[in-house]
Amino acid sequence: RAIEDFDKAVELNPAFIQALDNRGSAWQALGNFNWAIDDYDRALTIDPSYAASYNNRGNAYRGLHDHESAIADYDEAIRLSPRSASNYYNRGVANGLLGEWSAAIRDYSFAITLDPIYSDAYYNRGGALGNLGDFEAALADLTAVITIQPTRADAYHSRALAYLNLEEEDAALEDLNTAILLNPELTI
């Protein structure tokens, strides 16, 4: 239904950038990344300075596993809107998917600087730090996630893994038990 509404809005005003961008997001939510990219392209043809469409198109490229194109779009979104934490966060995700852990950590750190309660940025930075073997720093980030979102089961699970890597078995077991209590469906 949302796409139909955006279709009508675009039909009435073909230069309605927000309708094109939102329709792209609706296509993306349905997993139709190519149609989403088409709408973001149209929006950017109308206004090449519309940062949200670069960020959203980057997400669509990421959905297609084209992480390099995603990063290029996030770079442009950051250039146009350097105070948007989500632009840095999304570039961090793409860098992480490429195994570029240091670049991902820099992006997540900047997102956290802009939004100190951005729990997903802490969570992903913790994972990236763990991938680099810095389990103490990963533990600190995952603890920050739990402080922000005390019922987030995946954060307890990930923190348990950090504890295990630090050979703190009792703390790991406690976090695993909490994770299971919070989400009995969680795969351990």
Side-chain angles (χ1 to χ4, degrees), residues 84-117:
S84 171
S86 66
N87 293 339
Y88 291 94
Y89 171 81
N90 286 328
R91 188 174 68 182
V93 171
N95 276 314
L97 290 167
L98 291 172
E100 299 291 339
W101 304 120
S102 295
I105 289 165
R106 277 191 304 277
D107 285 335
Y108 295 137
S109 295
F110 207 83
I112 291 165
T113 298
L114 294 170
D115 182 356
I117 60 169

Side-chain angles (χ1 to χ4, degrees), residues 42-89:
R42 286 182 61 192
L44 291 168
T45 297
I46 296 164
D47 182 358
S49 68
Y50 194 63
S53 286
Y54 284 105
N55 187 52
N56 291 336
R57 189 173 68 182
N59 292 340
Y61 279 127
R62 205 172 71 219
L64 293 172
H65 307 287
D66 182 353
H67 307 304
E68 290 84 2
S69 293
I71 289 170
D73 273 351
Y74 298 138
D75 287 345
E76 187 62 14
I78 288 166
R79 187 185 72 76
L80 294 167
S81 184
R83 305 298 300 165
S84 171
S86 66
N87 293 339
Y88 291 94
Y89 171 81

Side-chain angles (χ1 to χ4, degrees), residues 7-181:
D7 285 344
K8 288 177 187 168
V10 171
E11 184 180 318
L12 291 171
N13 180 1
F16 190 1
I17 296 167
Q18 291 84 358
L20 288 164
D21 189 73
N22 288 333
R23 185 172 67 184
S25 294
W27 284 124
Q28 190 170 319
L30 294 172
N32 195 328
F33 301 111
N34 288 313
W35 286 16
I37 290 169
D38 287 345
D39 276 340
Y40 301 135
D41 287 346
R42 286 182 61 192
L44 291 168
T45 297
I46 296 164
D47 182 358
S49 68
Y50 194 63
S53 286
Y54 284 105
N55 187 52
N56 291 336
R57 189 173 68 182
N59 292 340
Y61 279 127
R62 205 172 71 219
L64 293 172
H65 307 287
D66 182 353
H67 307 304
E68 290 84 2
S69 293
I71 289 170
D73 273 351
Y74 298 138
D75 287 345
E76 187 62 14
I78 288 166
R79 187 185 72 76
L80 294 167
S81 184
R83 305 298 300 165
S84 171
S86 66
N87 293 339
Y88 291 94
Y89 171 81
N90 286 328
R91 188 174 68 182
V93 171
N95 276 314
L97 290 167
L98 291 172
E100 299 291 339
W101 304 120
S102 295
I105 289 165
R106 277 191 304 277
D107 285 335
Y108 295 137
S109 295
F110 207 83
I112 291 165
T113 298
L114 294 170
D115 182 356
I117 60 169
Y118 202 153
S119 63
D120 287 340
Y122 282 106
Y123 183 83
N124 285 10
R125 187 175 71 178
L129 288 162
N131 283 325
L132 291 178
D134 190 349
F135 300 110
E136 290 285 347
L139 187 67
D141 275 354
L142 295 164
T143 299
V145 175
I146 291 166
T147 300
I148 297 165
Q149 290 182 292
T151 60
R152 187 166 171 177
D154 63 338
Y156 284 96
H157 177 260
S158 294
R159 190 171 73 172
L161 296 175
Y163 277 130
L164 283 174
N165 279 290
L166 293 169
E167 298 181 6
E168 295 183 36
E169 291 83 6
D170 290 341
L173 185 59
E174 185 178 330
D175 272 0
L176 287 174
N177 285 331
T178 302
I180 292 168
L181 284 172

